[in-house]
Each structure stands twice: as structure tokens, then as C-alpha cells.
Amino acid sequence: MNGFTLVFGLLAGLYGWGWWRLKTRGRAWPRWRLVLFCGSALAIGIVLSPPLMHWAHGDFRGHMVVHLVAGMIAPLGLVMAAPVTLALKNVPARWGRRWVGFVSSLPMRILSHPITAAVLNVGGLMALYLTDLYAVMLHSPGFALWLHWHFIIAGCLFSWAIAGPDPAPQRPALEWRFAVLVVSMAAHAMLSKWMFQFHFPASVPLEQVRQGAELMFYAGELPEALLVYVLARQWLRSRYRETPASITS
């Protein structure tokens, strides 16, 4: 068992305990959120387990599978399970006020802004693949560990900043978030095309780079499409609240 398995196993256990505690108190919490969170935590634990990490270390295609699951797909599932909302339902009200004060602070407002989150998310990928950092990562276990945590946290932060269901005071308007998402999707697609066309990272065999870039381009569309879907639902709900009479008439 490595650190990732331990941490995300613990988080899944805490989420399950929170769900069970609400249920015993007669307060409903969607079962699908429980399944989503635990499944996403399990996915991170699997792809960052020693066998798959060994494969990813020696094969760029394996690395890309790990990135897509741990940095894009699983973080989206973790965020959409609304873990903070579940936690707040299980703690005293003062903790809720502290959470609101925390996310409303200037540093957190900057860090959780969709533009900042997009730069940390996609910008981190560009820095890794378009420079020599990927080769450095292969020879530095400490740096590799830091990068894995960075991409998990950046993926969660981006999903939350764009369309997360957990409370986020002073979140920009839907139109702004949708614009940032579109630009981020374009940047992600452009990066994969650059990698395929110009052989980045240069330290990796060309065939592995091209197959990894194709994985990044096509499989990366899934979590991005889901974010578009969630934003579209949020926009439709906001329109319904604003004009209920015209819709029901």
C-alpha cells in the first residue's frame, strides 16, 4: 500500500461514514454521490498503485493513462460528489461559517478563480510536456510524487471552480466560467496536437508520444464534455428560476 492508496482510501471511508451518519439521522443524501466519490477515490488508488506506476514510468502511454484518470476523470468525480457539502451537514454550524470565511478570503478567491485554476491545470501540463521537466521527473522520485499530487489537486480545483456543486462564494458568472472552460479545452487539444506533431516530450520515443497524445486528445474530451453538460444544466436551472412564468405558461 502506498501513500495515495492510504489517503484516498481514508477519504472514501470518511465519505461513507458521513453518508451513513446522515442516513441514521433520517436525512437523505444521494447514493449515487457516494458511489461516485468512492469509485473516483478507488480509481486514483488503482492508477497510482506500484504496478501501474511502474508501467507509467517506463511507457509514455501508461503515463498518459495515469494522467487522464488521476488528473482529469477522477477529480471530476470527487468534486461532483459534493464532499464539502456532505461534511458541512455532519458538523456544527460554526464550521460552515468558517468554511465560508475560508473560501471568501482573498488568497482562496484568487486560487479558486477559474482562470487561475485553468492555468494551474493546463499550464502545468504544458510546462511538463513542452520542456525537459518530463525527463527530470523520470529521474527524480520526489519530483514525480509532487507532480502527481499537483495534477490531482489542480484537477479538483479546476472542476470545482468551473462547475462544482460545493459552496464557493463570489464565484464568477456562468458565462465567464463557460468561456474559461472553452479556452481550456482548446488549449488542452492544442497541446496534444503539438505533442503529436513536434515530438514533445523529446526524451520519449516518437511512437509512444504520438499514441499518448492521441489518448490525451480523445479521452480528455470525456471529462470536458461532462463539465460542459453540468454547466449547461446550471444555466438552464438559472434561466428557469429567473423566468418561471414564461416557461410554465
Side-chain angles (χ1 to χ4, degrees):
M1 178 181 294
N2 62 8
F4 293 103
T5 304
L6 180 62
V7 169
F8 285 97
L10 178 61
L11 290 175
L14 287 172
Y15 193 100
W17 175 80
W19 173 83
W20 176 83
R21 190 166 182 267
L22 279 187
K23 184 178 180 180
T24 58
R25 294 159 58 191
R27 302 179 65 184
W29 184 258
R31 190 183 297 269
W32 67 265
R33 290 193 189 272
L34 172 66
V35 173
L36 184 61
F37 188 92
C38 293
S40 299
L42 177 63
I44 292 178
I46 290 174
V47 298
L48 294 178
S49 63
L52 289 183
M53 289 286 283
H54 180 74
W55 173 47
H57 184 80
D59 191 317
F60 187 71
R61 293 162 294 192
H63 164 83
M64 191 55 65
V65 170
V66 170
H67 156 65
L68 288 168
V69 175
M72 295 185 71
I73 298 172
L76 178 60
L78 295 175
V79 169
M80 292 305 158
V84 175
T85 302
L86 176 63
L88 293 177
K89 289 178 177 291
N90 281 282
V91 298
R94 65 177 183 275
W95 287 97
R97 292 190 292 270
R98 289 179 180 178
W99 168 259
V100 172
F102 171 68
V103 296
S104 299
S105 65
L106 180 60
M108 274 303 299
R109 278 165 33 208
I110 295 174
L111 184 62
S112 63
H113 193 280
I115 294 177
T116 308
V119 170
L120 290 173
N121 194 31
V122 182
L125 293 175
M126 289 184 172
L128 179 62
Y129 298 137
L130 301 182
T131 69
D132 294 330
L133 284 180
Y134 185 80
V136 173
M137 180 194 71
L138 295 179
H139 297 90
S140 175
F143 184 53
L145 178 64
W146 180 86
L147 274 176
H148 288 313
W149 279 114
H150 166 79
F151 286 123
I152 293 171
I153 295 171
C156 290
L157 182 65
F158 180 72
S159 297
W160 175 54
I162 293 295
D166 282 326
Q170 302 184 11
R171 178 179 278 163
L174 274 166
E175 292 80 6
W176 278 99
R177 286 182 275 145
F178 188 79
V180 173
L181 176 58
V182 170
V183 172
S184 177
M185 292 168 61
H188 196 264
M190 181 180 65
L191 173 60
S192 62
K193 290 180 179 179
W194 282 355
M195 291 164 61
F196 185 95
Q197 185 70 28
F198 302 112
H199 190 186
F200 288 111
S203 58
V204 178
L206 178 60
E207 188 61 25
Q208 289 188 24
V209 169
R210 288 187 168 176
Q211 291 179 8
E214 288 178 339
L215 272 173
M216 182 178 177
F217 182 84
Y218 292 108
E221 290 183 343
L222 172 62
E224 292 170 342
L226 288 173
L227 276 174
V228 171
Y229 169 76
V230 172
L231 273 183
R233 279 179 58 89
Q234 292 179 2
W235 180 80
L236 287 173
R237 287 176 178 175
S238 66
R239 294 288 294 177
Y240 180 82
R241 286 193 299 266
E242 290 172 3
T243 57
S246 60
I247 295 176
T248 57
S249 59

